[in-house]
Amino acid sequence: MRRLGLLAVCLALARCCSWDNCNPVSTDPNVLNVHLICHSHDDLGWLITVDQYYEREVQYIYDTVLQELEKDSTRRFSFAETGFFMRWVESRNSSILARWQKLVAAGQAEAIGGGWVQNDEATAHYVDIIDQMTLGYEHLKSLFGECGAPQAAWQIDPFGHSREFANLAAQMGMTSLWFARIHYLDRTQRRIQKNLEFNWVGNDEQKKSIFTGSFYSHYGPPDNFCFDSGCNDEEINDGNVDRRSRQFADEVKAQASHYRTNNVLLTMGNDFNYQQANKWYRNLDKLVAYINANPSFGMNVQYSTPACYANALQATPTIWGSKQDDFFPYASGDHSFWTGYFTSRPAFKGMIRQASSYLNLGKQLTAHFNLNDDAALETAKRASGLVQHHDGVSGTAKQVVTYDYQQRLDKGVRQLETMINDAVKKSSTGTPPTYTLCLLSNETVCDVSQKSGSYAVTVFNPIGRTVSSFVRVPFYHPIASVADDTGAAVKVQIVPTFSIPPLSSANIAPYELYIPVQLDPAGFRTYFVSGSGLSGRPPKQSNAELAYPEKVIQPSEADTVSIENDYVSLQFDANGYLSSVQNKKSGTRRNLKQEFLYYESSANSAQPSGAYIFRPAAQTTKTLSTSITTTVVKGVSVQETIRLYTGQPQIEFDWVIGPIPKENSNPIGKEIITRYTTDIKTNGLFWTDASGRQVLQRTWDSYPQFQYEDTEPIAGNYYPVVNRIFMKDNTNQLTVLTDRAQGGMARNGALELMLHRRCFHDDHFGVDEALDEPGKDGKGLVVRGQHWVLFDEPAPSASTHRPLAVNLFHRPIAAYATVADPAAYRQATKTKFAGLKRDLPANVNLLTLEKRSDGILMRLEHIFQANEDPSLSQPATIDFSNLFTGFTIQSVQELLLGGNKNSTGKSTTVTLNPQEIRTFSLTVSPMAPKDY
């Protein structure tokens, strides 16, 4: 009766999404319902590039599945990876698309997951996860309407699973979540306890859960039942159908014995399967027909989809288990802990994080200035979305594929230049100069500042609050004159460039110019720079303070040196190491040592360390050096070795690692860490973030839901750190914020993060290549990054590290343009802009602001967890009716997080509870630039 009712609804609506048109299940408790999930797992790059995979394999999957589904209305296919699907749609004619749309509307084809890729969950930032999911959803909705809004999250291949992803999936309206990879001991226990399917509570605030299923084994078919072109399993014919059906039934019953209902899911597909879909469906048809025609099997075998399977489970009265933590670390064997990829390819990870910030700014500019840059924005979104793939940001693709990712990402980042220039044009009554980004500024290289004696630096603030910060400009002159947007002089600082010999070139600036910037919320401000004099000999300054090394500490000296700002004072020992931190407000001095160390990589042939696996040869580290030469630079804006900025609480550690040495024969892999040692009594506890958002407590040598086995003492205690890790006791908390994903742990008062790794053996998990990045000169990769460190009492720590994490992700972005006449520029072009008329509350972040075809997509988020701070963990109420400068709001429709499904709200006043994200579609009237 239920099926007949749904069919009537389908006919009335002229569409029937797969979850409304499931093949019938048996309600007889003695009959086992076997749900065949026909699928193909298609990596957008791994062993070959995304283009090569599409041309060689993926296009044939969709071509042949289309033909096979049209032959039989009971057949089903579940398709993920919207990035590949859109590639196929855009390469085929409209009639082929119409045929696929008909299949989706009939419920035969189901979009699962729905993201542009199947994102990694350990190293992808939640902002990037939301963005890539939204990108996929946007295209699916435009093609399939309501049937293009996936019900099932499909994360079958990522190497461990984040609690925050479960939270985000639930907030996007997903009704179920499915994956394959969990710790081998966890899987064993879940089989025994019939707990492979459960409710996963995504956070401690909203406590919204999502029904979750971990597969019986991997995401492939049962042994001996693969029927793809690359499989050699015995096909089914009239002569063997009985034997093969009984063999199949035995396998199904073995799996079903570990589940709580009379429904069992079988993944009938694998990597790049269904290139010859006829072979799959022809064999499965025979199994389905024969078993269903013989009641002695006690089975109802049917083509199904993840959403239909979830429907069947939820219709069965069952008490499900629950889970509150996450699935890290993932291990596939005693010595195979997949914790190396938390750090693998650190330069690429840093590039991805920076590109995300650029994309966020580009989206904001389209909304503030009503830009018609759809093509540029789409290019940027696709590039950023692509690299969130679980073999992208994870650093687990082949080197040539990584190069391809980097080239695509660079092209995407360059689209920001288009959007910046179009925004400046809209803000000008004349013809403004062309702005460019200095993407090699981390190497102290900038073409504009090198070749121009006078130029503009327009600094953008993507954050919805006023920001006081610094920008570092590669500078080629010893004399600087800097003016702000009004022409007033700005007191700046010139610092000699930190020498990185492996990156030396004629284009590296001899100095860095530090400009203090004051930026309005979601706005920009233009500064005008001129330089003169030959590098190397500093003549008399104008409004710049040239800071030269005040003291170089040699290891033999017995004295110490200190640096300070208005928050902290740092003391260094005679060997040049940081020794203590004093809080200037409380006067409390805390011991803190920072040092670089390394693990030697295991070369054990059974399981070496590699792109995925971290397996140290010994459980102890080796020292890079017992002493260091420390250069201290003091000035009005910054004091360097370790940086302290005026008016900012963080201690900035600017680290450079590489090239990691490679011996001529029998090279030994090395995995470089930084370790912060304190007197904190950790008692085996530390905390790491989940996808850059909520934080989870970790316990040394212990897992929450199954028995820990001490087979890899170090690797088994490593966890993903997307943006923060901390340890604390009753009186002290050390927090480290990272500028990219890394692996880390803490114990006995020492916190460590892995910064870089170079391994010389493949770790046997498919990539078939050592993690041996050659760098620019072939001698090894050099990486530069930053940690922001806070050392304070536990109570106020969240009030500092929460907003600082947002600031680190969305640092001010500088664009450069040659300007010979600053006065003429100021007269014709806007030099100061505020996207918001007032600051957002300190606990609220403007997560998304983007012009779309149907208006503006906006997201606001509460960045604190409950009980982190007595004030900032409280709900925040915002009236955004008159918040924006560039447009007025005509109407509001609240959406679910993915932006593809309506929610109930229509008000411009919203209350955000801790960790809550609210999403809105705004119908607006753009303002003319002259009016704001």
Side-chain angles (χ1 to χ4, degrees):
M1 293 297 293
R2 181 177 181 274
R3 178 172 168 79
L4 292 174
L6 288 174
L7 287 174
V9 172
C10 294
L11 293 172
L13 297 176
R15 61 100 179 135
C16 198
C17 307
S18 59
W19 44 87
D20 294 328
N21 190 23
C22 303
N23 285 319
V25 297
S26 173
T27 58
D28 185 341
N30 297 313
V31 173
L32 182 61
N33 292 297
V34 183
H35 296 253
L36 306 180
I37 310 296
C38 299
H39 78 103
S40 179
H41 176 64
D42 303 332
D43 293 305
L44 279 85
W46 180 37
L47 305 181
I48 55 178
T49 68
V50 61
D51 284 347
Q52 291 169 326
Y53 272 133
Y54 177 77
E55 294 295 338
R56 299 178 188 180
E57 303 182 46
V58 175
Q59 62 175 322
Y60 305 113
I61 296 170
Y62 286 106
D63 285 343
T64 61
V65 168
L66 173 64
Q67 298 169 7
E68 293 306 310
L69 293 184
E70 289 177 329
K71 294 177 181 178
D72 185 342
S73 63
T74 67
R75 290 175 174 174
R76 299 288 185 268
F77 188 77
S78 301
F79 63 101
E81 295 94 20
T82 304
F84 267 143
F85 180 74
M86 288 306 301
R87 176 79 174 267
W88 180 73
V89 167
E90 291 165 355
S91 67
R92 298 296 187 265
N93 59 44
S94 58
S95 63
I96 290 179
L97 171 60
R99 290 165 61 193
W100 194 271
Q101 287 173 319
K102 184 177 179 181
L103 292 172
V104 172
Q108 286 187 256
E110 176 178 307
I112 52 177
W116 196 250
V117 297
Q118 204 172 110
N119 63 262
D120 182 54
E121 296 186 42
T123 61
H125 195 280
Y126 75 95
V127 170
D128 295 322
I129 294 172
I130 293 170
D131 281 350
Q132 76 88 17
M133 295 295 286
T134 302
L135 175 62
Y137 288 172
E138 185 178 7
H139 286 286
L140 291 174
K141 183 177 180 180
S142 70
L143 293 175
F144 307 118
E146 291 183 23
C147 294
Q151 299 288 302
W154 190 253
Q155 290 288 109
I156 62 174
D157 200 26
F159 327 122
H161 304 281
S162 165
R163 190 188 192 201
E164 184 59 33
F165 184 86
N167 178 44
L168 297 177
Q171 302 301 326
M172 290 176 185
M174 301 286 197
T175 58
S176 62
L177 167 61
W178 306 95
F179 49 69
R181 296 188 186 270
I182 63 173
H183 196 291
Y184 71 104
L185 295 175
D186 193 6
R187 186 187 309 280
T188 298
Q189 179 169 290
R190 288 181 179 277
R191 285 181 179 177
I192 293 170
Q193 296 176 345
K194 297 187 176 182
N195 198 26
L196 288 164
E197 295 165 343
F198 51 91
N199 288 311
W200 193 359
V201 181
N203 69 12
D204 294 329
E205 284 73 30
Q206 287 77 46
K207 298 188 182 298
K208 189 175 180 65
S209 65
I210 185 168
F211 185 79
T212 303
S214 172
F215 299 153
Y216 180 79
S217 55
H218 201 48
Y219 53 77
D223 290 345
N224 304 310
F225 287 90
C226 177
F227 302 113
D228 204 63
S229 55
C231 300
N232 296 314
D233 292 347
E234 181 185 7
E235 292 195 50
I236 299 170
N237 54 49
D238 292 343
N240 67 8
V241 64
D242 182 75
R243 174 175 56 82
R244 292 286 278 143
S245 294
R246 296 190 184 281
Q247 183 183 9
F248 179 80
D250 289 343
E251 176 66 29
V252 170
K253 289 176 182 177
Q255 292 193 24
S257 67
H258 297 284
Y259 290 85
R260 298 188 182 188
T261 76
N262 65 330
N263 292 274
V264 63
L265 177 152
L266 295 185
T267 48
M268 305 306 292
N270 214 315
D271 292 357
F272 301 99
N273 274 203
Y274 289 82
Q275 295 179 55
Q276 293 181 4
N278 173 264
K279 188 176 178 182
W280 261 112
Y281 285 111
R282 185 178 67 247
N283 282 275
L284 292 180
D285 283 349
K286 291 176 181 176
L287 274 178
V288 171
Y290 189 82
I291 293 175
N292 289 348
N294 289 273
S296 61
F297 282 98
M299 291 183 180
N300 170 39
V301 184
Q302 59 178 283
Y303 290 110
S304 189
T305 68
C308 286
Y309 178 63
N311 286 350
L313 293 181
Q314 296 303 316
T316 305
T318 306
I319 298 175
W320 302 104
S322 66
K323 184 174 178 66
Q324 310 248 347
D325 57 304
D326 65 3
F327 287 94
F328 292 114
Y330 164 57
S332 54
D334 288 353
H335 302 288
S336 303
F337 281 82
W338 298 50
T339 54
Y341 80 96
F342 299 162
T343 298
S344 296
R345 303 195 187 279
F348 184 40
K349 283 177 165 67
M351 183 183 184
I352 292 170
R353 186 69 56 86
Q354 185 181 46
S356 177
S357 180
Y358 286 173
L359 173 60
N360 183 70
L361 174 59
K363 291 191 292 187
Q364 286 189 14
L365 293 176
T366 65
H368 291 313
F369 294 94
N370 191 32
L371 302 182
N372 295 313
D373 286 331
D374 294 355
L377 185 59
E378 181 71 10
T379 297
K381 291 197 296 186
R382 290 189 178 195
S384 186
L386 172 66
V387 297
Q388 307 312 318
H389 167 52
H390 57 274
D391 283 307
V393 64
S394 60
T396 56
K398 280 186 178 290
Q399 184 67 55
V400 67
V401 177
T402 302
Y403 288 148
D404 183 68
Y405 285 145
Q406 291 170 333
Q407 290 171 355
R408 291 171 184 273
L409 198 57
D410 180 74
K411 181 179 179 181
V413 166
R414 294 290 181 185
Q415 305 308 307
L416 178 59
E417 293 178 335
T418 298
M419 290 176 269
I420 286 175
N421 283 300
D422 286 349
V424 172
K425 288 175 186 177
K426 283 208 168 188
S427 303
S428 179
T429 58
T431 304
T434 300
Y435 277 90
T436 60
L437 300 169
C438 287
L439 298 179
L440 293 178
S441 60
N442 68 317
E443 298 180 22
T444 327
V445 174
C446 179
D447 189 64
V448 173
S449 64
Q450 181 179 18
K451 296 178 179 178
S452 303
S454 177
Y455 50 94
V457 182
T458 293
V459 186
F460 295 84
N461 171 27
I463 297 172
R465 290 184 300 279
T466 302
V467 165
S468 296
S469 187
F470 295 86
V471 293
R472 295 159 58 184
V473 177
F475 200 61
Y476 295 82
H477 305 277
I479 302 176
S481 179
V482 179
D484 66 12
D485 56 295
T486 68
V490 178
K491 191 170 182 63
V492 296
Q493 183 178 352
I494 302 174
V495 175
T497 296
F498 180 47
S499 177
I500 308 175
L503 299 180
S504 61
S505 77
N507 294 321
I508 290 180
Y511 313 110
E512 285 186 301
L513 176 66
Y514 284 75
I515 304 175
V517 295
Q518 306 291 322
L519 305 173
D520 289 330
F524 66 74
R525 195 173 186 184
T526 302
Y527 295 82
F528 299 91
V529 179
S530 61
S532 59
L534 298 175
S535 63
R537 294 179 58 191
K540 187 176 180 180
Q541 305 294 299
S542 55
N543 64 327
E545 175 183 341
L546 182 64
Y548 272 91
E550 179 184 272
K551 185 174 183 63
V552 177
I553 310 171
Q554 300 297 338
S556 60
E557 297 186 24
D559 59 350
T560 60
V561 70
S562 66
I563 60 175
E564 62 182 301
N565 66 1
D566 36 351
Y567 281 88
V568 297
S569 173
L570 309 181
Q571 291 75 42
F572 298 81
D573 66 21
N575 289 326
Y577 287 103
L578 177 67
S579 60
S580 64
V581 177
Q582 183 174 14
N583 184 306
K584 295 182 71 174
K585 181 178 179 180
S586 67
T588 304
R589 184 187 298 270
R590 297 175 171 92
N591 292 330
L592 174 61
K593 181 179 181 180
Q594 182 269 334
E595 56 188 331
F596 295 105
L597 307 144
Y598 70 95
Y599 295 98
E600 286 190 351
S601 304
S602 173
N604 186 299
S605 60
Q607 183 55 79
S609 211
Y612 299 98
I613 305 302
F614 170 38
R615 188 185 183 191
Q619 305 306 310
T620 55
T621 54
K622 295 193 173 185
T623 305
L624 289 174
S625 175
T626 57
S627 61
I628 58 174
T629 298
T630 302
T631 302
V632 177
V633 179
K634 293 186 176 182
V636 65
S637 299
V638 62
Q639 299 186 7
E640 260 190 9
T641 302
I642 298 163
R643 294 189 183 92
L644 296 178
Y645 292 96
T646 300
Q648 297 188 17
Q650 73 271 20
I651 309 166
E652 181 179 280
F653 288 79
D654 191 338
W655 50 267
V656 179
I657 305 293
I660 297 174
K662 181 177 183 179
E663 295 80 3
N664 291 329
S665 61
N666 300 316
I668 300 171
K670 299 169 186 67
E671 318 203 29
I672 312 299
I673 67 164
T674 183
R675 181 176 290 161
Y676 301 92
T677 303
T678 72
D679 296 327
I680 293 175
K681 305 297 189 294
T682 53
N683 294 320
L685 302 179
F686 62 101
W687 287 259
T688 65
D689 67 86
S691 304
R693 201 151 181 262
Q694 58 182 296
V695 293
L696 298 177
Q697 178 180 296
R698 310 299 189 182
T699 304
W700 187 266
D701 281 357
S702 178
Y703 299 146
Q705 291 201 316
F706 60 97
Q707 183 65 43
Y708 172 83
E709 291 186 4
D710 200 26
T711 56
E712 285 293 332
I714 299 298
N717 283 287
Y718 252 62
Y719 288 87
V721 177
V722 174
N723 69 355
R724 85 196 73 194
I725 179 174
F726 61 82
M727 58 182 179
K728 63 182 180 178
D729 57 22
N730 292 333
T731 56
N732 304 287
Q733 178 169 324
L734 181 78
T735 305
V736 182
L737 302 178
T738 68
D739 65 350
R740 68 201 69 197
Q742 295 168 343
M745 69 176 192
R747 63 169 172 169
N748 300 330
L751 182 156
E752 71 179 55
L753 286 156
M754 187 177 290
L755 306 178
H756 194 3
R757 57 200 308 260
R758 190 179 189 186
C759 305
F760 302 114
H761 297 83
D762 175 61
D763 55 13
H764 311 321
F765 285 100
V767 73
D768 197 28
E769 181 178 278
L771 183 67
D772 183 10
E773 296 184 272
K776 287 186 174 183
D777 59 3
K779 296 179 180 179
L781 181 72
V782 179
V783 187
R784 185 177 187 177
Q786 291 179 349
H787 286 167
W788 285 5
V789 176
L790 302 164
F791 204 174
D792 204 345
E793 298 173 4
S797 290
S799 67
T800 307
H801 75 67
R802 281 289 177 186
L804 273 181
V806 175
N807 291 357
L808 182 56
F809 189 94
H810 295 299
R811 284 183 277 195
I813 295 172
Y816 300 77
T818 300
V819 173
D821 187 349
Y825 183 102
R826 283 192 291 267
Q827 185 175 4
T829 306
K830 187 181 292 292
T831 56
K832 188 178 183 182
F833 169 74
L836 306 186
K837 295 179 181 179
R838 59 188 180 276
D839 281 1
L840 290 173
N843 52 4
V844 173
N845 178 42
L846 178 62
L847 182 61
T848 304
L849 192 71
E850 175 188 353
K851 179 186 174 184
R852 303 213 296 187
S853 59
D854 55 352
I856 287 177
L857 181 69
M858 180 187 73
R859 293 187 181 98
L860 298 171
E861 69 163 331
H862 195 304
I863 63 173
F864 281 76
Q865 288 185 247
N867 304 317
E868 282 188 321
D869 185 87
S871 174
L872 296 171
S873 289
Q874 298 301 312
T877 299
I878 304 102
D879 179 359
F880 56 83
S881 60
N882 193 33
L883 177 64
F884 297 98
T885 305
F887 53 85
T888 57
I889 298 173
Q890 303 299 318
S891 64
V892 175
Q893 174 61 62
E894 187 164 2
L895 307 171
L896 297 187
L897 179 60
N900 62 338
K901 300 176 184 177
N902 286 352
S903 186
T904 56
K906 296 181 180 295
S907 174
T908 56
T909 299
V910 59
T911 296
L912 292 166
N913 293 307
Q915 286 287 283
E916 188 173 23
I917 302 174
R918 302 283 289 273
T919 305
F920 303 89
S921 177
L922 311 178
T923 302
V924 304
S925 296
M927 303 284 285
K930 64 181 179 62
D931 295 329
Y932 53 79

